[in-house]
Amino acid sequence: EVLHSAMRVTRSFFELPEAVKMRVANSKKGFIPINGQPENAVRPTALHEKFSCSRVDGVDKRTDRAYYDPTGPNAEQAALYFGEANQWPDRPIDFKPTWTAYYKSMELLTGKLMTIFAHALGVPADFFKMFHDKHVTNLVALRYPPMTAEARAAAAGEAEAEARAGSSDWTAPAAHWTADASSA
């Protein structure tokens, strides 16, 4: 039910007029349109529009030095992921609580998976906890709208780069779910 609710509000958000979605436009957390302005800080958006958020538990990674030291050796990369607060649309009305519930469900699932991995490796069940208690996981939805043949041809080079980029999360399991336009 949580997954289907998240899919429902996400689909409803992406179906809104562009001007409404642009109210939460942001290069890191929020909405990025196709060929984004603002430009996507992580990867090109030649073929998709995007909505993303980071942690939903009230941790402000921008001010908590356990997450982000703006003077540290990785400050530039850290700013990419920690430098912005989540941007939440006001429509659909239940978007934020639904995404929050889904994010928390996935966070719990990841914890359970890490426990299973620890058992499989013969290490204590909480072995991975110290590596993920201050995670910076993003929840991302991508929408690939239908394109004309001309638009696909024009975006072919960028599409190849986008496909090569793949998932950039090397720190923990990444869950990917795909639905076509006819899915519920």
Side-chain angles (χ1 to χ4, degrees):
E1 180 60 34
V2 174
L3 171 63
H4 291 291
S5 294
M7 290 298 299
R8 176 187 52 77
V9 299
T10 302
R11 188 165 280 129
S12 294
F13 173 77
F14 281 131
E15 290 171 355
L16 292 170
E18 181 107 347
V20 174
K21 295 182 283 190
M22 289 300 290
R23 291 183 202 152
V24 292
N26 186 288
S27 66
K28 299 173 186 171
K29 306 289 181 255
F31 175 69
I32 300 176
I34 295 173
N35 290 319
Q37 289 302 321
E39 188 174 326
N40 189 334
V42 178
R43 70 180 70 229
T45 57
L47 301 176
H48 68 266
E49 51 186 354
K50 171 184 174 180
F51 185 87
S52 69
C53 74
S54 187
R55 288 187 72 147
V56 297
D57 57 4
V59 172
D60 188 344
K61 299 167 300 301
R62 295 167 297 152
T63 58
D64 184 339
R65 289 208 185 253
Y67 284 92
Y68 171 41
D69 178 357
T71 63
N74 298 318
E76 185 177 332
Q77 182 181 11
L80 176 65
Y81 295 100
F82 310 138
E84 304 290 334
N86 290 331
Q87 306 293 310
W88 296 108
D90 56 7
R91 293 175 45 200
I93 193 99
D94 57 341
F95 189 93
K96 181 179 178 181
T98 303
W99 263 53
T100 298
Y102 182 67
Y103 186 103
K104 289 179 178 180
S105 294
M106 295 307 292
E107 190 174 41
L108 288 171
L109 175 62
T110 300
K112 291 177 182 179
L113 288 172
M114 297 308 238
T115 299
I116 292 168
F117 296 158
H119 284 299
L121 294 170
V123 297
D126 64 351
F127 178 81
F128 291 109
K129 184 174 172 66
M130 68 179 163
F131 300 107
H132 291 277
D133 65 338
K134 292 187 175 10
H135 68 84
V136 293
T137 306
N138 290 327
L139 176 57
V140 177
L142 304 177
R143 177 180 172 263
Y144 290 82
M147 297 178 75
T148 65
E150 294 82 22
R152 272 193 305 278
E158 291 182 45
E160 184 179 333
E162 194 173 312
R164 275 196 310 266
S167 177
S168 60
D169 186 354
W170 53 267
T171 60
H176 297 266
W177 191 69
T178 305
D180 63 29
S182 62
S183 299

